[in-house]
Amino acid sequence: MDNRAIGVFDSGLGGLTVVKELHNILPNENIVYLGDTGRIPYGSRSKETIIKYSMQDIQFLKGNDIKLIVAACGTVSSTLPKEISQNLGVPYVDVVFPSAQEACARTSHGRIGVIGTAASIRSNAYGKTIHSLRDDVHVFANPCPLLVHLVENGMIEPDNQITRLTVEMYLKPLIEESIDTLILGCTHYPIIYDIFNQVLNYRVTLIDPGKCAAQYVKKVLSREQLLTDRTEPGVTQYNVTDQVSGFQQTASLFLGETVSGTLNQVELV
């Protein structure tokens, strides 16, 4: 058993959808969260910059004595090389493999859609991972660069016409390919889950990367005998790289509950 915290990081607040699921299935675990809000989004950056920022995020978490690292960011998960992620000294979980595994298990006709940031889609990480699991599946991908900004700015109501029209625009080419399953390949996207369902007429299975990643974290912690033996609820420490004003209101949208725990503004080096 190991009572150290789980470290979770993202370019902004979308990774809190992973924290939400960790709270649900591992309620006694402590969590250290880092949202690099001062440099969001990562999805429009070069591969070299994404790797540089990711390593700074990881070093911050490792400085907080964590037992496992979760890249709760589709862009980082799609970009960080395995020679780095597999040599961090602690287990590493991203959102790509668990989501791809779930999509392969749930697709009914082998037609899987993937949406994400420009960097995620450009990397083809989801497509490569899916085809490593099932070579009989067809994958159709489309980048959705505006959605992170819309979600971060609170335009998430199911009847928000701007967000709905944007989703319709991005999903049109995937609908034309008759997808039966859609990976929401950015942890911001589950916040507008209802809009995706409406646009798809509830006929496509949606894969939530936050849920998939959290379930995989539990599996890894169990396998490595790293689960906590605490019986009381865990605590979460929130860290952001930009101003903290407005954090609680925005974060509560991602967490689905009132934010409790400490909040710090930090600087990465």
Side-chain angles (χ1 to χ4, degrees), residues 101-109 134 180-181 193 205-207:
Q101 192 175 51
E102 183 73 3
C104 286
R106 299 187 63 185
T107 182
S108 56
H109 295 91
R134 283 186 60 175
D180 62 74
T181 303
Y193 192 95
T205 299
L206 299 182
I207 304 298

Side-chain angles (χ1 to χ4, degrees), residues 219-240:
K219 184 185 300 184
V220 172
L221 291 179
S222 299
R223 184 185 69 213
E224 302 296 327
Q225 299 185 341
L226 293 174
L227 288 166
T228 184
D229 61 1
R230 275 190 306 271
T231 56
E232 69 273 14
V235 297
T236 301
Q237 176 194 121
Y238 300 97
N239 303 279
V240 293

Side-chain angles (χ1 to χ4, degrees), residues 111-235:
R111 302 184 73 81
I112 299 174
V114 181
I115 54 175
T117 66
S120 293
I121 301 305
R122 186 170 60 243
S123 73
N124 193 30
Y126 283 97
K128 291 174 184 174
T129 304
I130 289 168
H131 286 137
S132 74
L133 297 167
R134 283 186 60 175
D135 59 10
D136 62 326
V137 167
H138 297 283
V139 180
F140 308 93
N142 202 32
C144 306
L146 293 177
L147 292 185
V148 167
H149 297 287
L150 293 173
V151 171
E152 289 272 339
N153 284 281
M155 301 177 71
I156 62 174
E157 302 83 1
D159 59 353
N160 188 293
Q161 289 304 302
I162 294 175
T163 303
R164 183 186 173 93
L165 286 170
T166 305
V167 169
E168 287 177 353
M169 174 183 69
Y170 288 140
L171 292 189
K172 186 174 185 293
L174 302 182
I175 292 171
E176 291 173 350
E177 295 291 353
S178 301
I179 62 168
D180 62 74
T181 303
L182 178 65
I183 297 177
L184 306 179
C186 172
T187 47
H188 283 72
Y189 298 171
I191 300 300
I192 51 173
Y193 192 95
D194 290 341
I195 296 178
F196 286 115
N197 256 335
Q198 290 169 9
V199 171
L200 294 165
N201 292 318
Y202 300 88
R203 294 174 180 172
V204 173
T205 299
L206 299 182
I207 304 298
D208 181 339
K211 288 185 178 179
C212 296
Q215 290 163 355
Y216 199 76
V217 166
K218 183 176 181 179
K219 184 185 300 184
V220 172
L221 291 179
S222 299
R223 184 185 69 213
E224 302 296 327
Q225 299 185 341
L226 293 174
L227 288 166
T228 184
D229 61 1
R230 275 190 306 271
T231 56
E232 69 273 14
V235 297

